[in-house]
Amino acid sequence: MATVDLKDVRKVYAGGVEAVKGVSIAIPDKALCVLVGPSGCGKSTLLRMIAGLETITGGTCAFDGKVVNAIGPTERDIAMVFQNYALYPHMKVYDNMAYGLRNRGTPKDEIERRVHETAKILELSHLLERRPRELSGGQRQRVAMGRAIVRNPKVFLFDEPLSNLDAKLRGQMRVEIKNLQRSLGVTSVYVTHDQLEAMTLADILVVMNAGQVEQLGNPLDIYEKPASTFVASFIGAPPMNLLPVTDVKFSDGTVISAPAQATTLGFRPEDADVTQRSSGDGLALDATVEGVEPVGAESFLYCAAAGQRVVVRVAGRSSHELGEKLTVTARPEKLHWFDSNGKRAG
Amino acid sequence: MTPRVVFPNKILPYLLVAPQLAITLVFFYWPASQALYQSMLREDPFGLKSQFVWFDNFKKVLSDPNYINSIEVTAIFSISTAMLSMVAALILAVMADKVVRSRNLYRTLLIWPYAVAPAIAGMLWLFLFNPSIGSLAYALRWMGIAWDPLLKGDQAMVLVVMAAAWKQISYNFLFFVAGLQAIPKALIEAAAIDGARELKRFWTIVFPLLAPTTFFLLVVNTVYAFFDTFGIIHAVTGGGPGKATETLVYKVYNDGFVNLILGDSAAQSVILMVIVIALTAVQFRYVERKVHYG
C-alpha cells in the first residue's frame, strides 16, 4: 500500500556505461505498472534499483513520498518475484514462505496462520512439506508468488516472473497475477519483454528503450496512439506496418492529408483490408501475396507492397493464394504518421 | 535402472581394467596385507628371526599407556587442525567473495601456501616461534606470555596445530570459494529482500548451501590431519616435548623405524587403518544425512 515515485532516476555503472538515463514515473497507490522493452533497455536495472539491489546513481526513488535511495533492500518492505524464482532449495515450501516473516520477528502462530492462508489462496496447501526441487515449474512459480504475498509488503516487484513457463501456463498465471494484485491492492512494478503480458496486465504501461522512457500511459492509449515508431513496432503483434511516405503510391489519386513533417506512415495489420480493386477512400497499395499464416480465428497475409513487407489481418480462413495481386487499403483515420526522428507527427 | 551392459568379448574387459587392478593390488593390497602379516610377528631388530604370535602385538599396543596417550593427542590434534583450517578458510573465502577489484590476485595469493612442502611449512613456524630466535615468540613474550614450546606440551601442540592448519587453509579456501560461487546471487538477494541481514543470510542460506563442500572438506581434512601431517610434526617438535605431540602416525614411525619394534609398529598401523576406515564410514553415514545436495 504505497505510491512509488521515480524522479529522473539514473544508473551509471563503474565503467561509465549509462544503463538508465533519467526515468521519471509516478505510480499511484494500488496500481500495476508494467515496464516493457527489448532486452538491454534498462527495465530490469530500474526494477532492481526500486528493490534496492542496485544503487541509484542519480535522481530519487520514493515510497509514499519518502525517499528510499539510502535504504537497503532489507528495510524497504518490498517483495520480489524473480525470473528463476530464487526459492531456497534447502527449505520446504512452508519455510520458504515463512522465512521473511521469521526474519521480521512475527509470532509463530501468526506465521502459521498467514502461511496457510496464503497457501490456500494459491492452492499450495498440499505442497507445504515439499522441497522446491520436488515441484513443477508452475508450482515453483506459485511458491515464489506466495513468498511475496505472505509478507503483505508495501510494493510487489516482478522480474519477468512468467518467462520460464510454457505458453498455456503463462496465460493462466497472467490472469491470476492480475486478479491477485487487484484483490490485494498492492502497488506493483512488473518487468517483462512480452508485449502481450504488458498489454493485459498494466494499469500503467511504460515502454522503455535504450535506458529511457519512450512512452508512458494507459496500455490501450499507447496501442492506439504510439508516440514513436519504436513503440508502434514494439506494441502489437504482428507489429504495425511502417512505410516511408515517399514510397507510398496512392493508386486512386486519393489525396491523404499527411502532416507536414511526416516521413513515415504506419497502420496496424487489423486496420488494413484487402480488396481486388481499390475502394477509393484512404490508403490503397498494390500488393502481392508472399505468405499466408492461418492462426485459426484469423489469418495474416504477408504482402510485398511499395518495396516493403506489409502484414494484413483478415478474419477467419484466408482464400488468398501466393503470388495473388491485390490492393491493401486502410481508412484515413487509422493511419499513423511519424517524423524523421521517429516521433509521432499529427 | 540402467540395463546391464554385456560385452561380446569375454577377455577384453578384464584386460582393460587390468592396469588399474594391478596398481591397486601392488600398491595397496600387498602392503596392507604385509602390514597385517607383520602385525602378528615378533621380530628382532636385525630381522634375523621372527616368530608368529597371533594378536599379542595388538594386546601389548592397546595396553600401552603411551599408545592411549597418542590416541588422545591425535584426537585433539586432528579436531583442532580440521576446525581451525576450515573455519579460517571459510572466513577468508567469504571475504574474498566480497572483493570486487583484483579478486583473482587475492585468490592466487591465498592459494600459494598449498604449494609449500609440509616440512618447509613446519620449519617456517618453528623459526617464527623458536623461543630463542623466533620473532613471533619474542612478541609473545613481550605480551607477557611465557612462550616455550620446547618445554611446554600444550604450547607445542598449539604450534603444530597452527602449522598443520595453515598449510591446509589454502586447499579449503579454494573449495569454499568454488562453493560460494555456485550459490546463485538471486538467492542472496531474495533473502535480503526477505529481511535477513548479512549474518543471518550467511547462517540460514549460504552455510546450508555450502554443506556438501563442508562435508567433503571435513573428510579430507580429517584424513590430512591423520596422515599427511607427519612432516610438520617431525620438523617442528619431533613428537615432543615428552610425548605431547606424538600422533598415531608419528608413533608408528618412531616405534618402527627409530626403535625398530617392527611388530608393534605394524600392529599400530593396522589399528590406524581401521580407525580411518571407521571414521570415514561414520562421517558418510551420519554427517552426510544432514547434507543437502542442490
Side-chain angles (χ1 to χ4, degrees):
Chain A
M1 274 34 56
T3 62
V4 177
D5 277 293
L6 303 177
K7 285 211 180 81
D8 196 31
V9 171
R10 284 164 196 280
K11 177 75 193 182
V12 184
Y13 283 107
V17 181
E18 198 170 20
V20 177
K21 301 169 184 165
V23 169
S24 300
I25 307 169
I27 307 168
D29 192 18
K30 299 180 183 172
L32 174 59
C33 170
V34 176
L35 307 177
V36 69
S39 53
C41 72
K43 58 188 191 299
S44 282
T45 309
L46 189 61
L47 188 80
R48 291 170 59 82
M49 284 196 283
I50 299 172
L53 297 171
E54 298 269 358
T55 54
I56 299 171
T57 52
T60 56
C61 170
F63 295 168
D64 275 333
K66 191 172 155 261
V67 175
V68 294
N69 281 29
I71 298 176
T74 312
E75 286 87 19
R76 282 198 192 181
D77 196 15
I78 47 162
M80 186 157 164
V81 179
F82 290 81
Q83 183 173 4
N84 49 12
Y85 318 135
L87 300 177
Y88 312 123
H90 57 297
M91 294 184 195
K92 288 174 183 164
V93 170
Y94 180 92
D95 298 310
N96 261 285
M97 288 167 70
Y99 186 70
L101 294 171
R102 283 188 192 135
N103 287 334
R104 288 182 165 78
T106 315
K108 211 172 173 189
D109 47 336
E110 180 166 354
I111 291 178
E112 205 172 315
R113 188 179 59 76
R114 277 164 74 169
V115 170
H116 281 113
E117 225 166 62
T118 311
K120 211 169 160 191
I121 298 174
L122 289 167
E123 292 161 38
L124 288 169
S125 301
H126 60 297
L127 301 173
L128 287 175
E129 291 303 304
R130 298 231 193 132
R131 282 180 204 282
R133 61 157 176 239
E134 296 160 345
L135 303 177
S136 69
Q139 289 168 335
R140 282 179 207 186
Q141 218 285 327
R142 278 163 186 282
V143 176
M145 291 282 300
R147 192 171 66 178
I149 291 170
V150 77
R151 285 224 335 265
N152 196 15
K154 267 194 209 153
V155 180
F156 277 151
L157 303 175
F158 298 90
D159 188 7
E160 309 208 12
L162 304 181
S163 59
N164 284 353
L165 300 179
D166 61 58
K168 194 179 161 212
L169 213 49
R170 204 181 306 157
Q172 281 175 17
M173 284 309 291
R174 204 165 59 213
V175 177
E176 260 182 66
I177 287 180
K178 181 80 186 169
N179 290 342
L180 265 175
Q181 196 270 335
R182 276 236 178 92
S183 61
L184 296 169
V186 177
T187 315
S188 306
V189 184
Y190 189 108
V191 161
T192 181
H193 61 263
D194 181 349
Q195 60 91 24
L196 181 65
E197 236 170 83
M199 288 295 295
T200 49
L201 283 173
D203 296 322
I204 304 165
L205 182 58
V206 180
V207 184
M208 288 185 69
N209 185 27
Q212 280 170 321
V213 173
E214 282 275 335
Q215 193 171 3
L216 184 155
N218 178 294
L220 284 176
D221 289 349
I222 291 179
Y223 184 80
E224 283 162 7
K225 278 199 154 188
S228 65
T229 48
F230 175 82
V231 177
S233 58
F234 196 81
I235 300 294
M240 183 185 282
N241 297 301
L242 294 169
L243 304 170
V245 166
T246 47
D247 288 351
V248 179
K249 187 181 136 212
F250 302 105
S251 39
D252 244 14
T254 316
V255 181
I256 303 171
S257 53
Q261 294 89 28
T263 57
T264 307
L265 159 73
F267 60 93
R268 297 250 176 229
E270 63 271 29
D271 293 335
D273 218 335
V274 286
T275 49
Q276 297 302 331
R277 290 178 297 125
S278 50
S279 60
D281 193 18
L283 174 74
L285 288 171
D286 288 333
T288 311
V289 178
E290 283 190 327
V292 182
E293 218 176 54
V295 196
E298 57 197 8
S299 303
F300 294 106
L301 297 182
Y302 292 83
C303 308
Q308 302 272 323
R309 172 159 278 198
V310 169
V311 189
V312 179
R313 175 193 170 274
V314 292
R317 197 182 276 250
S318 159
S319 59
H320 299 283
E321 284 167 22
L322 295 187
E324 194 181 328
K325 304 266 187 219
L326 37 73
T327 306
V328 173
T329 61
R331 299 242 299 279
E333 67 271 20
K334 295 289 188 188
L335 300 180
H336 304 261
W337 301 96
F338 302 98
D339 66 15
S340 55
N341 295 323
K343 298 288 171 219
R344 192 174 186 85
Chain B
M1 239 180 79
T2 47
R4 213 184 133 88
V5 181
V6 180
F7 293 99
N9 194 320
K10 292 284 167 240
I11 308 161
L12 187 64
Y14 295 101
L15 219 60
L16 289 174
V17 292
Q20 178 63 52
L21 280 179
I23 288 171
T24 315
L25 282 174
V26 171
F27 291 102
F28 182 73
Y29 285 102
W30 189 21
S33 60
Q34 276 293 309
L36 210 59
Y37 174 64
Q38 276 204 343
S39 68
M40 298 181 190
L41 289 184
R42 181 164 293 159
E43 262 177 292
D44 70 308
F46 307 103
L48 296 176
K49 54 180 188 284
S50 57
Q51 188 192 352
F52 197 79
V53 292
W54 287 105
F55 295 100
D56 280 5
N57 287 332
F58 288 94
K59 278 181 206 154
K60 193 173 141 212
V61 164
L62 288 174
S63 58
D64 180 4
N66 280 337
Y67 191 73
I68 305 301
N69 170 60
S70 178
I71 290 177
E72 277 172 27
V73 166
T74 308
I76 293 169
F77 174 74
S78 304
I79 292 168
S80 321
T81 303
M83 280 299 148
L84 184 63
S85 65
M86 282 171 72
V87 169
L90 184 56
I91 292 171
L92 286 172
V94 170
M95 307 279 238
D97 204 44
K98 288 193 198 309
V99 176
V100 179
R101 216 170 287 174
S102 54
R103 64 197 306 171
N104 285 332
L105 179 73
Y106 281 100
R107 283 185 196 163
T108 311
L109 288 177
L110 281 163
I111 288 158
W112 269 359
Y114 195 59
V116 177
I120 309 276
M123 287 312 287
L124 207 81
W125 286 83
L126 185 62
F127 279 130
L128 285 175
F129 286 99
N130 184 295
S132 47
I133 59 166
S135 46
L136 290 179
Y138 180 80
L140 280 176
R141 268 206 302 278
W142 183 78
M143 285 190 296
I145 298 164
W147 178 256
D148 192 0
L150 296 185
L151 290 176
K152 292 180 177 145
D154 48 352
Q155 290 185 354
M157 178 60 100
V158 170
L159 192 55
V160 283
V161 165
M162 281 204 292
W166 176 77
K167 212 187 112 43
Q168 197 65 4
I169 285 173
S170 307
Y171 182 85
N172 297 348
F173 170 78
L174 204 62
F175 278 87
F176 277 132
V177 165
L180 286 172
Q181 278 178 332
I183 298 174
K185 286 280 163 289
L187 284 183
I188 311 295
E189 291 174 354
I193 287 175
D194 262 342
R197 276 162 223 287
E198 185 142 15
L199 208 61
K200 180 104 189 200
R201 286 204 292 273
F202 178 79
W203 287 115
T204 53
I205 306 290
V206 177
F207 192 69
L209 291 177
L210 268 183
T213 309
T214 312
F215 172 67
F216 165 77
L217 288 177
L218 183 67
V219 176
V220 168
N221 279 280
T222 313
V223 174
Y224 163 80
F226 262 80
F227 291 110
D228 287 356
T229 48
F230 172 82
I232 287 171
I233 292 175
H234 193 54
V236 177
T237 62
K243 300 212 173 283
T245 56
E246 191 178 63
T247 59
L248 290 171
V249 173
Y250 199 79
K251 192 167 164 58
V252 168
Y253 158 80
N254 216 21
D255 286 356
F257 297 98
V258 179
N259 302 334
L260 289 174
I261 317 169
L262 295 179
D264 278 14
S265 172
Q268 286 176 31
S269 55
V270 169
I271 296 171
L272 194 59
M273 201 151 66
V274 172
I275 291 176
V276 171
I277 289 171
L279 217 62
T280 312
V282 165
Q283 281 175 336
F284 269 97
R285 193 156 163 68
Y286 294 101
V287 185
E288 199 188 14
R289 270 195 199 161
K290 298 194 194 304
V291 174
H292 165 83
Y293 288 101

